Amino acid sequence: MNAIQNVNGQPLKGGKDTSAERQAGKWQDDAPLLSVRDICKFYAPGKGCGDVSFDLYPGEVLGIVGESGSGKSTLLSTLSARLQPDSGQVIYNSAQFGELDLYACDEAERRVLMRSEWGIVHQHARDGLRMNVSAGANIGERLMAVGERHYGSIREKAEEWLTAVEIDTGRIDDRPSQFSGGMQQRLQIARNLVTHPKLIFMDEPTGGLDVSVQARLLDLLRNLVSQLGLSVIIVTHDLAVARLLAHRLMVMRRGEVVETGLTDQVLDDPQHPYTQLLVSSILQN
Amino acid sequence: MSSQLSSQLNKPATQTAGAEGYNFAYLDEQSKRMIRRAMLKAVAIPGYQVPFGGREMPLPHGWGTGGMQLTATVIGEADTLKVIDQGADDTTNAVSIRRFFAKTAGVATTEHTADASLIQTRHRIPERQLRNDQILIYQVPIPEPLRFIEPRETETRKMHALREYGAMQVKLYEDVARFGHIATSYDYPVMVNDRYMMDPSPIPKFDNPKMNQMPALQLFGAGFEKRIYAVPPYTRVVSLDFDDYPFEVQSWEESCSICGSDHSFLDEVIMDDAGNKMFVCSDTDYCRERVEQGFTAENPEGQQGLTPEHNQVQQENKKQDDTKAEEMAL
């Protein structure tokens, strides 16, 4: 893969080739995968997120941007069934259970979703990985959780996914603690994708990585997302990441969504003063 | 199923038997009632860990206090108690616990598996097949099989409740990846009655198959962690494995240097500084029984005409003498 050249060689804007076609309304033919209605979760006035509503369609990548403390991660946690909201509904259209109201359904179903149809990529890889077992076991865990009991095929799939995320298969028996930050992050992605989830939640997946490693990871993510037709909700404070990956953007400030729209639209023609500030804060060269 | 347990439970405790100034079998009756309730729940939900209010025993935690509390609770005057530690009747832990109950409950004790109605054990299941009228009580250090992968108690309880046992397989995966086979040799996780994942206490995996459909009631007591769990008689107990790496028990190329047994669990004993060693049965009573039946290391097939049935009568006679001798010794 000459991924790095692609990313470094081209301006970031040129990256989204199929998105134009998707933005033309292709998604709207399907039912939304995730419907969010008036979600509120406040720790204190102005701390948390409030009155968020949107629909996410299959194959769509939604970016949530905003400064630190604007409620992005809180929103992501409530969307991914990890944090009970104060009010509001999250409805997920599951292949196994049909339409599911996440906070009204059985916890058992929610946990099944988490290990089969969903993936969660944490900002810090050690939150999402088991650091004391090998890379192969990390990838295999989800398979075993959904009932795979054949060692040979678990290992085969682990090798496949290590290759897919560009980790040498010779490292399969090494522990993640012996991996570099970028490798840990890629391992975390492999671990999530092994059960072919439909929806991935990512919280700052490139946080703490240097630019060249970031570029490789982003390129990898973009390829995987388009190959597997994943829906993604990605939280980031890095507008370049959002521009590269997201089809649609939500800008958050002080717990509220101040602007939404197609990525290019929001970034090239920001309407809200805060978004204008955010966009103009990027170093121009 | 629980008839044997309830018959045990209904036995009236008497204040007369046992040591002066102590209740029958040391524990007070209120504590026994509390433990019985926990025990009945444990039997009703095979493999489920029932919390109980663990009491102080005159012994440090980790020395079998969990097992002792169960024994003190189910023991009656008519019972005959056997205590083993790593299969042996004559190790410190076994001797002191046996003497403790002989003193505080005044019950008969025995070293013969066949004669015991209650067997408290640490780290072994006797080689001889247990009967429906016997109860096996295990001493358990860590009752939670999922602990190594999930340190939070709230989370492990949830995993049990929702039957999320995929993580347990990770342990076996790591074994195969690192050693080429499932190297876990004791404390080998089992599935009870197709529902609860259970820690069988640190018995060798050699003993795991004996737990399956065992006629005797199996009770597990963890004193430090304050948990009781049980496997009722004739319950399915399956050891975890992979389809392509099936569960296997240990085997030895050697046989017992005393009785010649090639099918029992063997201990390796270092004999001298030159590295000479011998292998002997870990179950001392089983080994003794075989020697009495005429099996030796030189003659592992046994003497002709001497069958286990033939020997039964001889044992019956001997047993009474033995018990008497032990009581005298105390």
Side-chain angles (χ1 to χ4, degrees), chain A residues 107-108 111 115 130 132-134 136-137 141 144-145 149-155 158 172-173 175, chain B residues 148-150 155 158-159 162-167 169-170 173-174 176-178 241-245:
Chain A
E107 188 182 11
R111 289 172 68 113
R115 57 174 190 261
R130 287 196 193 280
N132 56 353
V133 299
S134 68
E141 183 181 341
M144 294 184 254
R149 289 291 180 267
H150 191 278
Y151 175 82
S153 61
I154 292 170
R155 202 164 168 85
I172 189 168
D173 291 332
R175 293 175 180 209
Chain B
F148 95 103
I149 201 124
E150 181 49 67
E155 184 65 15
K158 205 166 270 179
M159 288 162 90
L162 300 176
R163 225 171 152 228
E164 284 179 9
Y165 293 137
Q169 217 76 21
V170 172
Y173 173 95
E174 282 291 277
V176 182
R178 228 182 290 169
D241 60 0
F242 284 114
D243 296 345
D244 46 348
Y245 286 87

Side-chain angles (χ1 to χ4, degrees), chain A residues 2 5 9 15 21 84 90 95 111 165 183 185 213 228 240 268 279:
Chain A
N2 44 6
Q5 282 85 2
E21 168 198 321
Q84 176 96 35
V90 183
R111 289 172 68 113
V165 297
M183 283 168 80
Q185 207 56 280
V213 175
L228 305 171
D268 295 341
V279 172

Side-chain angles (χ1 to χ4, degrees), chain B residues 108-319:
Chain B
T109 59
T110 180
E111 295 194 356
H112 296 191
T113 308
D115 302 336
S117 59
L118 272 181
I119 304 172
Q120 182 175 331
T121 174
R122 173 178 174 265
H123 299 193
R124 269 318 300 279
I125 296 175
E127 303 286 358
R128 172 188 264 272
Q129 158 108 49
L130 298 179
R131 299 182 313 264
N132 189 228
D133 59 348
Q134 293 177 309
I135 298 179
L136 186 59
I137 295 171
Y138 298 76
Q139 303 170 196
V140 183
I142 300 168
E144 180 53 75
L146 301 165
R147 183 63 70 232
F148 95 103
I149 201 124
E150 181 49 67
R152 285 170 296 173
E153 175 70 15
T154 48
E155 184 65 15
T156 52
R157 284 201 200 183
K158 205 166 270 179
M159 288 162 90
H160 281 295
L162 300 176
R163 225 171 152 228
E164 284 179 9
Y165 293 137
M168 203 66 223
Q169 217 76 21
V170 172
K171 189 181 182 180
L172 303 186
Y173 173 95
E174 282 291 277
D175 268 2
V176 182
R178 228 182 290 169
F179 306 107
H181 64 278
I182 300 178
T184 304
S185 59
Y186 66 96
D187 230 346
Y188 195 103
V190 292
M191 196 72 173
V192 179
N193 203 22
D194 301 320
R195 177 60 185 84
Y196 281 99
M197 181 82 66
M198 190 186 86
D199 187 306
S201 87
I203 59 170
K205 65 177 170 184
F206 180 87
D207 286 341
N208 273 20
K210 293 182 196 159
M211 305 181 88
N212 185 33
Q213 303 292 352
M214 185 192 276
L217 168 66
Q218 303 171 71
L219 297 171
F220 299 77
F224 194 79
E225 302 274 333
K226 300 181 173 54
R227 293 287 184 279
I228 291 173
Y229 50 103
V231 178
Y234 308 109
T235 303
R236 205 167 123 84
V237 177
V238 182
S239 305
L240 252 60
D241 60 0
F242 284 114
D243 296 345
D244 46 348
Y245 286 87
F247 173 78
E248 276 173 358
V249 299
Q250 297 101 320
S251 59
W252 289 262
E253 283 169 14
E254 297 80 6
S255 49
C256 175
S257 330
I258 299 172
C259 73
S261 163
D262 56 358
H263 54 267
S264 54
F265 189 84
L266 299 182
D267 283 339
E268 187 177 348
V269 183
I270 304 292
M271 302 301 289
D272 53 27
D273 287 349
N276 288 317
K277 59 194 178 185
M278 69 188 277
F279 287 84
V280 290
C281 288
S282 126
D283 187 338
T284 49
D285 178 59
Y286 182 74
C287 198
R288 178 199 54 77
E289 204 170 72
R290 274 177 57 89
V291 169
E292 272 172 17
Q293 287 164 9
F295 295 100
T296 57
E298 293 75 36
N299 187 13
E301 298 306 314
Q303 291 167 12
Q304 279 215 320
L306 273 179
T307 59
E309 289 76 24
H310 186 89
N311 253 281
Q312 212 72 39
V313 187
Q314 199 186 325
Q315 277 177 37
E316 290 293 324
N317 298 335
K318 197 173 175 294
K319 134 194 149 184

Side-chain angles (χ1 to χ4, degrees), chain B residues 34-46:
Chain B
M34 174 268 298
I35 293 172
R36 275 171 203 145
R37 275 198 293 268
M39 225 181 256
L40 286 171
K41 184 172 179 182
V43 171
I45 318 172

